[in-house]
Amino acid sequence: MPNSTRNILPTKPTRTVFIISDGTGITAETFAHSVLAQFDGIALRQMRLPFVDCVDKAHDSVRMINEAGQRDGFRPIVFSTLVDPAVNQVVRQANAMYLDLFQTFVEPLELEFGVKSTHTIGRFHNISDSEQYKNRIESINFTLAHDDGQTDRGLEEADIILVGVSRCGKTPTSLYLAMQFALKTANYPLIPDDFERGKLPDALYLHKQKIFGLSITPERLSEIRNERRAGSKYASLENCRYEINEAEAMMRREGIRWLSSTSKSIEEIATTILQELKINC
Amino acid sequence: MPNSTRNILPTKPTRTVFIISDGTGITAETFAHSVLAQFDGIALRQMRLPFVDCVDKAHDSVRMINEAGQRDGFRPIVFSTLVDPAVNQVVRQANAMYLDLFQTFVEPLELEFGVKSTHTIGRFHNISDSEQYKNRIESINFTLAHDDGQTDRGLEEADIILVGVSRCGKTPTSLYLAMQFALKTANYPLIPDDFERGKLPDALYLHKQKIFGLSITPERLSEIRNERRAGSKYASLENCRYEINEAEAMMRREGIRWLSSTSKSIEEIATTILQELKINC
């Protein structure tokens, strides 16, 4: 496009969204993102302000919010999960649309429960000492050690064993299940050797009730494999069709539940697995 | 405690909390968990109902909610992120305290932006095709391939390189940075050989601006290492003291920023690293 036409097009105004928290603000940011995804055609710049846990930092935040508003020509949107009333009160003074994720729900819950909330900042700050936290780290270590069928040892400790052809999404899903839900998740590739023998890897038969399969369309698999090994037989559509056919036939024969990862996010795959295996996390 | 006294203590009532979503509900669950953590002494049972994306499933959910209320003797708490008005309307009929995470913020935002929200379910359903999603998977693969100093190749592609002694939290933090923020994160152990040479591993000098250090108290490190190799020299408090002293001295000497992971969650460590390296995700 020539420069002259660009100049006569109106510039789309951009608005700034702040996510402000006395913790990491990561949950609030993901939440804000999904609410804002409901608005098409609004240009947004998202900014997370974590660890705002004292009045000084609250004043700094107000300055940043007000500056963004002046630059944009629109007041910013603020998603807040501030717990401390003193800090919250300062940030509320910013010239912004203030959405209080925290207080909006805490007040009605106080009425419902008939008790006051503790207004404790960073309930999770010392989480690293807790049993739950240790389980999480242990699950990540277990999952890494049992990635890609590296070892059969300790499979009896696994909560879930994923199977599927190479590059169908087993590793990211396993790591997510460990990281988010503290589930020890082993994964095992199904390879041409298994298809020739017509059997699952031997180590898996003892643990069939924990096995869940991932599949994928041959077209998508070929695309993914070609990014790694362009033009190889391994990545060819013909070979991908063969492997997927064999893997799905084997899973059907062995009574293994499976899903197609083709158009699903890691979160959706993980949630579906928990539903199917009836694991309540 | 003898059985007789247990019988005269009043049973603490338990209330059920439902997280209901047409997507995975994972963000809503984490959010609900942190709001509810503000209430001490209330016994809660949390239950996630994902993929409630049609009126039939909405009716099933209402049944589950009402049954829980009858069992508990208290109406359940429902955190909803339902987008479809028809589905939402059905679930609202349940006998429960209904907290609408979605509509509560979408309505004021519609006024602010002067446009209607799209009310689209599962904005992320086809995310697996997007560039962003590919980056995420690529970052996870990169991070796995560059765990624990496995290879120097491709370090120029890394967004972050973590260093620190063995078992100080580098691997879980690296995987989280990749999974949550799509950052390619390599990690390198600092080992006694490095301390004797008095230098960082050679491969790292080219990339000093991307390096961030993790440290930990010797007491906590010894505890963690003893879980793996009880009674070893490697796990002894004396050796942990030596390694931590040397590692911190080296990081100071080389001008590497670092933090102590001792009482921090993975999310807090990751957020602090992004702040310090001024990476805006």
Side-chain angles (χ1 to χ4, degrees), chain B residues 192-212:
Chain B
D193 279 5
D194 301 315
F195 306 142
E196 277 161 36
R197 293 191 317 138
K199 286 180 68 191
L200 288 173
D202 288 335
L204 299 185
Y205 280 98
L206 280 170
H207 310 287
K208 266 183 83 173
Q209 75 293 347
K210 297 193 265 192
I211 300 181
F212 198 89

Side-chain angles (χ1 to χ4, degrees), chain A residues 84-100:
Chain A
D84 183 338
V87 173
N88 205 357
Q89 208 191 335
V90 173
V91 181
R92 274 184 179 281
Q93 291 162 13
N95 183 14
M97 178 189 200
Y98 198 78
L99 300 170
D100 193 330

Side-chain angles (χ1 to χ4, degrees), chain B residues 44-64:
Chain B
L44 298 169
R45 185 189 302 115
Q46 209 159 306
M47 207 168 168
R48 180 160 57 103
L49 304 180
F51 307 131
V52 179
D53 51 10
C54 64
V55 168
D56 275 359
K57 289 188 192 167
H59 283 296
D60 291 344
S61 305
V62 170
R63 259 191 301 278
M64 292 180 71

Side-chain angles (χ1 to χ4, degrees), chain A residues 13-232:
Chain A
T14 297
R15 304 191 58 152
T16 309
V17 177
F18 286 92
I19 291 91
I20 183 164
S21 174
D22 36 43
T24 68
I26 291 174
T27 306
E29 181 167 51
T30 311
F31 176 71
H33 190 81
S34 69
V35 169
L36 294 167
Q38 291 291 321
F39 293 92
D40 277 343
I42 309 280
L44 298 168
R45 186 189 300 116
Q46 208 159 306
M47 208 167 167
R48 180 161 57 104
L49 304 180
F51 306 130
V52 179
D53 51 10
C54 64
V55 168
D56 276 359
K57 288 187 192 167
H59 283 294
D60 291 345
S61 305
V62 170
R63 258 192 301 278
M64 291 179 72
I65 295 166
N66 288 344
E67 277 169 22
Q70 274 162 14
R71 192 187 56 225
D72 297 345
F74 284 102
R75 63 177 186 166
I77 317 294
V78 175
F79 285 86
S80 154
T81 59
L82 295 169
V83 174
D84 183 338
V87 173
N88 205 357
Q89 208 191 335
V90 173
V91 181
R92 274 184 179 281
Q93 291 162 13
N95 183 14
M97 178 189 200
Y98 198 78
L99 300 170
D100 193 330
L101 298 194
F102 192 75
Q103 207 49 35
T104 303
F105 299 110
V106 164
E107 271 174 19
L109 283 168
E110 285 180 337
L111 283 175
E112 180 75 14
F113 293 148
V115 295
K116 281 277 168 196
S117 78
T118 53
H119 278 282
T120 321
I121 294 182
R123 298 285 290 180
F124 305 116
H125 274 199
N126 284 316
I127 202 168
S128 56
D129 295 327
S130 72
E131 267 318 293
Q132 209 189 343
Y133 195 75
K134 276 186 195 160
N135 283 345
R136 187 186 186 195
I137 299 291
E138 236 175 67
S139 299
I140 295 170
N141 290 334
F142 180 95
T143 298
L144 278 174
H146 293 80
D147 183 37
D148 206 30
Q150 274 175 72
T151 176
D152 304 342
R153 263 187 303 160
L155 277 187
E156 61 283 358
E157 274 182 61
D159 296 301
I160 299 172
I161 302 171
L162 296 181
V163 297
V165 301
S166 160
R167 296 281 129 196
C168 69
K170 298 183 301 299
T171 296
T173 305
S174 301
L175 288 170
Y176 185 79
L177 285 164
M179 186 86 73
Q180 180 72 26
F181 300 110
L183 291 168
K184 291 180 178 164
T185 312
N187 76 75
Y188 249 83
L190 297 179
I191 58 175
D193 279 5
D194 301 317
F195 306 142
E196 276 161 35
R197 294 191 317 138
K199 285 180 69 191
L200 288 174
D202 288 335
L204 299 186
Y205 279 97
L206 279 171
H207 310 286
K208 267 183 84 173
Q209 75 292 352
K210 299 193 261 190
I211 300 181
F212 198 90
L214 295 187
S215 198
I216 187 168
T217 61
E219 291 72 20
R220 179 86 186 105
L221 182 63
S222 173
E223 213 180 295
I224 295 170
R225 288 182 171 186
N226 266 307
E227 279 167 27
R228 289 227 142 183
R229 298 203 217 156
S232 63

